Structures are given as structure tokens and as C-alpha cells.
Amino acid sequence: MIDSQPVLLVEPKRSVGLKVLAGISALVITALVFTGYALLRKRHAQGSAGVVVSSPGTAQRKPPKALVMVDDALLQGSKTIIGGTVRNTSTEKLEGLALELELMRRKDGVPEKQLVALAPAQLEPEQEGRYSLELKAQDYGSARLVGLKAGPDLVSLPYTTARGQKRLPERLESKTITIGKPPSKGGEFLNSPDKPARVP
């Protein structure tokens, strides 16, 4: 037989003071974590700023001396013509100007650099010169401007780029094709009410 005696569960009394102490300690720990994070973040920001200011490799950007306008590539038969204009935007005379292009070969995808002379090679302030390069379309897939050189030592000049002339839309020659009329038998229709024919 099972004794059926009531079991009393007694819930321990919780102290209000213990709850208050736990809440205060949680607030103190949160405040300490937040203050430590703020101090570490401030120290990191000061360290990063100090590195940028004190590094000797950072040079000031020089103002551009020329504006290079790159025209869209022009296709003429099996040849591609790459060209554009260069304007001297500085207050000094630029001599021995040449553009450095990176050409991507089609067969192996290896880049190849080539210098393209400017005509005229000397530009007075606000004067423009033109460059042009003719390539076989089957040899090269793309061309990219990588530098502007000047003087006999080919010193790199700072420059900016802009889009030049757009390629004209290609015109397809319209051809009129005349189809000869089939021989007729005296103007007879192949299918008429008098001579019905089955159309497949």
C-alpha cells in the first residue's frame, strides 16, 4: 500500500537586498566594459592617425598637368585605331610627350606596353596634341592607358582622363535583291476554282 501523506514544498524566502545587490553589480560590470571599449577605441584611433601622419611614404598628390581624352576604338576592316587628344592644363611647356598604353594580346592574354608619340610632341599651355595607334584587330583584344610620359628620360606626369569622341554607328550597306519570277504558263494560277490543287 502507498502512504498518501501530503508533501509540503517550502519555497525559500528571497531577500530583496540580494536582488538589489545583483542589479547594482550588473550595472557596474556593464559600465566597466563600456568604458574599457571606449578607451581602447580612442587609443586605436590615435595610433592609426599617428601612423598616417608620420609615415614617410605618403606624398602629396600633385595637380594634373594634362587632360587625356580617350576616343572610342575605331574599326576599319581588319585594323583597330586607338586615338585621342591631350591638352596641356598646366602653366608650363610640356616637351617630348608620349602615352603609355597596355595592350592585351588575344592569343595568350599577356599584357604588352607600348609608347605612342604625341603630335606635336611639345605643348604650350592650353594647347592640344593628338595621338593615334593602328593595330591588327586579330592580334590585340583591348588597350588601356597607363601613363603619360615627358622628356628624354620619360618622366611620368600626373594627368586626368576624360571620354573623347564616340565611335560613329556602323552603317550597313543596303542591298536590293531581286528574285526572278517563276515561269508562268500564260498567266495561269496554280490553284484556281477551275483547277483546284492540294496545298501540302
Side-chain angles (χ1 to χ4, degrees):
M1 238 172 118
I2 301 174
D3 291 337
S4 59
Q5 292 183 2
V7 177
L8 295 174
L9 297 174
V10 179
E11 186 175 330
K13 292 184 177 180
R14 293 191 181 176
S15 168
V16 175
L18 188 63
K19 290 181 182 178
V20 170
L21 183 63
I24 290 173
S25 62
L27 287 173
V28 168
I29 291 172
T30 304
L32 287 174
V33 169
F34 180 73
T35 305
Y37 172 74
L39 288 174
L40 285 175
R41 189 170 176 194
K42 184 178 178 182
R43 186 185 302 168
H44 176 71
Q46 288 174 346
S48 297
V51 169
V52 171
V53 170
S54 64
S55 66
T58 57
Q60 294 180 351
R61 271 189 89 137
K62 297 178 181 177
K65 294 192 174 194
L67 172 66
V68 179
M69 290 174 275
V70 182
D71 297 346
D72 287 346
L74 183 63
L75 299 173
Q76 287 185 346
S78 63
K79 295 179 183 177
T80 303
I81 299 173
I82 299 167
T85 56
V86 177
R87 180 186 301 143
N88 181 356
T89 56
S90 70
T91 56
E92 58 190 74
K93 182 178 181 180
L94 301 178
E95 298 182 355
L97 292 173
L99 278 97
E100 186 176 16
L101 299 177
E102 184 180 75
L103 308 172
M104 194 66 70
R105 293 196 304 221
R106 283 189 190 273
K107 65 178 181 180
D108 53 8
V110 175
E112 177 182 309
K113 291 192 177 178
Q114 188 166 352
L115 284 175
V116 181
L118 202 67
Q122 298 178 357
L123 294 180
E124 297 290 335
E126 296 303 319
Q127 186 182 2
E128 288 187 358
R130 185 126 185 97
Y131 68 94
S132 180
L133 178 65
E134 193 173 290
L135 302 168
K136 290 184 179 177
Q138 68 266 20
D139 292 344
Y140 298 99
S142 66
R144 184 171 69 95
L145 174 66
V146 292
L148 177 65
K149 309 287 185 179
D153 300 333
L154 297 176
V155 178
S156 293
L157 292 178
Y159 64 94
T160 57
T161 60
R163 186 169 183 180
Q165 296 177 355
K166 294 182 180 179
R167 181 171 58 187
L168 296 174
E170 297 177 13
R171 287 185 170 179
L172 299 175
E173 294 180 15
S174 60
K175 294 182 179 179
T176 305
I177 300 173
T178 307
I179 300 174
K181 295 180 181 178
S184 62
K185 301 177 182 176
E188 288 184 17
F189 287 104
L190 296 176
N191 189 6
S192 66
D194 297 333
K195 295 183 181 178
R198 198 169 123 197
V199 178

